[in-house]
Amino acid sequence: MEEEIKEFMEYLSQEKQASQNTQISYRRDLSQMEEYLKEKGITAVDKVNRTILNSYILYLEREGKAATTISRILASMKAFFSYEFCQGAVKKNPAEFLKAPKIEKKAPTILTVEQVASLLDQPGTSTPKEVRDKAMLELLYATGIRVSELIGLRLGDVNLPVGFITCHDPHKERAVPFGKTARQALELYLTEARDKLLKGRESEWLFVNCSGGSMSRQGFWKIIKYYGGKAGIDADITPHTLRHSFAAHLIGRGADIHAVQVMMGHSDAATTQAYTAYVQKEDPVRAAYNSSHPRQ
């Protein structure tokens, strides 16, 4: 079977032009499968059947492999045996009807409005980095965009007077509005901090790091973890946490779900609709007070 796997890898590389990471992943998965089959006395590809592949999946589950990992391994096996079937090496594809384990989606972390306020209040204004961090956090919560979209913003994507940014995802562009607080944070960053971070260099990117280069996902992940710790928030905060919180808070305050869907760039309305499950219901007594008291 070693030779067949080698030929399949050449097919992935030369004909499918798969990425290096994809090739490494397939090679690792198929080598581990081959090792398991060899221990069971199976060395020829045409001797593999659905039963033995099912036993391999059960073995992976007993070993404590994550459902996502098993699903990836199964995808590698399906691709390999589909290729072998097309090549005529096997009369029947033994992996065709194999099913991946069900992946349970972890509920997203939704911060309260008070937690978000505390998080956004952490960056000061004493250094260019703090001013930049404040602008990034404010804009992320104000728009609900993805972190990849945030760090991918160019100067020309920001319209401060009107108050919107243009996001570029793989499928289309979309304009997303932002409010006064985010505008003020952006104005301060652009007038007081960005040039100091660039130190005479030029850059098309809106947000730059302390060396004047573009921000990275890892860099922003560290930023949000740092300020989350300063705010004393125990929840596991990631850059996506503010995106989730943005959606839940808007929907919780009566925003039209379709409008939220457009702002977030969701292709399926059901993805946005799911946030209604995480909306915290307001105490009816407090709601009546807030809507009626003259000082509210």
Side-chain angles (χ1 to χ4, degrees), residues 3-62:
E3 189 60 34
E4 285 86 356
I5 292 175
K6 182 180 177 182
E7 290 176 2
F8 175 67
M9 295 310 304
E10 290 175 356
Y11 162 77
L12 283 181
S13 174
Q14 297 172 11
E15 295 191 35
K16 299 295 286 184
Q17 296 185 330
S19 70
Q20 193 67 29
N21 286 341
T22 298
Q23 292 180 52
I24 291 171
S25 177
Y26 272 89
R27 185 180 291 109
R28 180 183 59 244
D29 293 343
L30 294 175
S31 295
Q32 290 174 354
M33 177 198 72
E34 181 195 11
E35 185 178 339
Y36 175 85
L37 294 175
K38 192 181 293 184
E39 290 176 357
K40 300 297 180 182
I42 299 173
T43 56
V45 70
D46 60 351
K47 299 299 181 183
V48 180
N49 57 40
R50 181 179 174 185
T51 301
I52 192 66
L53 292 183
N54 262 325
S55 72
Y56 179 51
I57 292 172
L58 290 173
Y59 164 76
L60 294 173
E61 290 178 344
R62 288 196 301 271

Side-chain angles (χ1 to χ4, degrees), residues 175-177 246 250-251 255-265 272:
V176 186
F246 162 86
L250 280 183
I251 293 170
D256 177 70
I257 288 181
H258 177 69
V260 178
Q261 176 190 351
V262 171
M263 284 186 277
M264 297 190 75
T272 316

Side-chain angles (χ1 to χ4, degrees), residues 134-198:
K134 171 78 168 175
M136 293 186 78
L137 290 171
E138 288 285 0
L139 188 61
L140 190 61
Y141 179 61
T143 58
I145 59 176
R146 303 172 181 90
V147 65
S148 57
E149 294 170 332
L150 179 74
I151 63 176
L153 287 172
R154 293 171 168 83
L155 281 173
D157 294 328
V158 182
N159 189 323
L160 275 176
V162 179
F164 74 83
I165 55 173
T166 301
C167 278
H168 309 271
D169 67 26
H171 308 292
K172 61 181 182 230
E173 290 185 355
R174 71 184 191 281
V176 186
F178 57 85
K180 180 177 67 175
T181 306
R183 182 190 291 116
Q184 291 171 343
L186 276 171
E187 285 175 344
L188 184 64
Y189 165 68
L190 290 171
T191 56
E192 301 293 334
R194 189 172 180 273
D195 286 345
K196 292 177 182 176
L197 291 170
L198 285 171

Side-chain angles (χ1 to χ4, degrees), residues 121-134:
D121 283 344
Q122 294 310 308
T125 57
S126 58
T127 67
K129 180 184 179 301
E130 287 181 321
V131 174
R132 180 208 62 197
D133 295 349
K134 171 78 168 175

